[in-house]
């Protein structure tokens, strides 16, 4: 099954993608994660992307389309993938359509996570992730079961993203509304859009998404 999780920064796309990946054996493809890894490794892509990411803008379509085109060709994606943070522009969505056709694969569904704008800044500013395995946490909504210890791998090191600050969040939200929110209409018109209540508790959102996936499997 090939899915897109769509929603503004802080909607919970990463959390729900990790959950779905664990439950269903799908591969989570987060362009944000891939770009952060490229920045850390100091690759050419990383060098091109770093300043834009820090400012809260969008990295060029060519770069992210290239990253995804290479990644979905890898054998671990054969069973299916969840796109988290891609596509983010209409040009990326059109490129994804072409890419999937060329690989005789299809998009099974797009899940829009709808959230109140007012909640996003709080959600983003409390985020952290395990430095070792990348599992995501939140200071008030998703704490590790044992304080300071990752639930997944037991590591005691956590990181916070450089762009998760109040100043950059405003720009990221602007980029979402200007560039990404038109994708809701794009996928609605294609008949593949499903909306869940991203304001519900994490477990409830997962249930709603599972409900969508069951309806897709039955269709
Ligand atoms: P994310 O982890 O999805 O919030 O992405 C972090 C940052 O990476 C974004 O603010 C953008 O600068 C960049 N980025 C991630 N995915 C994309 C994409 N599909 N198109 C353009 N920029 C992206």
């Amino acid at each position: 099954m090939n899915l897109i999780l769509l929603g503004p920064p802080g909607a919970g796309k990463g959390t729900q993608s990790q959950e779905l990946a664990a439950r269903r054996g799908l591969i989570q493809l987060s362009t944000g994660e891939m770009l952060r890894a490229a920045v850390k490794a100091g690759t050419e892509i990383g060098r091109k992307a770093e300043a834009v990411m820090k400012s809260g803008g969008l990295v060029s379509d060519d770069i992210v389309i290239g990253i995804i085109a290479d990644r979905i060709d890898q054998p671990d994606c054969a069973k299916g993938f969840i796109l988290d943070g891609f596509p983010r522009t209409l040009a990326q969505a059109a490129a994804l359509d072409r890419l999937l056709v060329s690989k005789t694969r299809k998009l099974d569904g797009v899940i829009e996570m709808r959230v109140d704008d007012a909640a996003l800044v709080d959600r983003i500013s409390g985020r952290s992730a395990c430095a070792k395995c990348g599992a995501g946490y939140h200071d008030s909504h998703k704490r590790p079961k044992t304080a300071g210890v990752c639930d997944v791998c037991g590591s005691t090191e956590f990181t916070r993203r450089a762009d998760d600050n109040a100043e950059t969040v405003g720009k990221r939200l602007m980029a979402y509304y200007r560039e990404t929110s038109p994708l809701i209409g794009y996928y609605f018109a294609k008949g593949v859009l499903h909306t869940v209540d991203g304001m519900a508790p994490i477990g409830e959102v997962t249930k709603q998404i599972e409900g969508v996936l069951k309806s897709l499997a039955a269709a």
Side-chain angles (χ1 to χ4, degrees):
M1 196 171 257
N2 303 319
L3 304 167
I4 294 174
L5 286 193
L6 192 60
K13 301 185 298 294
T15 302
Q16 295 300 331
S17 303
Q18 286 180 356
E19 188 64 34
L20 282 179
R23 283 170 178 243
R24 297 202 163 232
L26 302 174
I27 297 292
Q28 175 194 9
L29 300 181
S30 157
T31 39
E33 284 298 327
M34 294 179 215
L35 289 166
R36 279 188 288 281
V39 170
K40 204 169 165 195
T43 65
E44 197 190 329
I45 285 180
R47 281 196 298 277
K48 283 185 185 155
E50 188 170 14
V52 184
M53 291 174 76
K54 258 200 191 128
S55 76
L58 291 184
V59 174
S60 81
D61 288 336
D62 287 353
I63 289 182
V64 287
I65 291 164
I67 291 179
I68 286 295
D70 289 344
R71 188 62 187 87
I72 64 176
D73 259 349
Q74 289 170 24
D76 62 342
C77 288
K79 190 172 167 201
F81 51 77
I82 309 155
L83 291 168
D84 159 14
F86 179 93
R88 254 176 158 102
T89 64
L90 285 167
Q92 291 176 24
L96 177 66
D97 286 346
R98 290 192 295 274
L99 196 64
L100 293 175
V101 168
S102 75
K103 296 182 189 305
T104 56
R105 300 187 72 158
K106 78 173 187 25
L107 185 62
D108 295 285
V110 177
I111 297 170
E112 180 208 354
M113 302 183 62
R114 194 166 288 175
V115 283
D116 295 344
D117 293 344
L120 294 173
V121 176
D122 159 67
R123 283 187 175 204
I124 291 174
S125 42
R127 295 201 296 201
S128 63
C130 171
K132 202 168 157 208
C133 74
Y137 295 96
H138 190 278
D139 295 346
S140 39
H141 311 301
K142 194 186 174 207
R143 296 195 198 103
K145 290 190 184 95
T146 306
V149 182
C150 175
D151 295 345
V152 179
C153 74
S155 164
T156 52
E157 272 181 54
F158 293 82
T159 56
R160 287 185 193 265
R161 284 171 46 172
D163 60 347
D164 275 353
N165 58 70
E167 192 188 321
T168 310
V169 168
K171 248 193 116 185
R172 285 160 66 200
L173 279 176
M174 286 291 222
Y176 175 78
Y177 285 109
R178 200 172 42 234
E179 304 280 353
T180 312
S181 62
L183 299 186
I184 296 169
Y186 182 85
Y187 288 119
F188 173 77
K190 281 178 170 284
V192 290
L193 187 77
H194 305 267
T195 301
V196 298
D197 174 13
M199 294 304 291
I202 292 172
E204 175 56 34
V205 180
T206 307
K207 272 193 204 142
Q208 288 186 26
I209 294 176
E210 283 291 351
V212 171
L213 300 193
K214 278 195 192 109
S215 72
L216 290 177

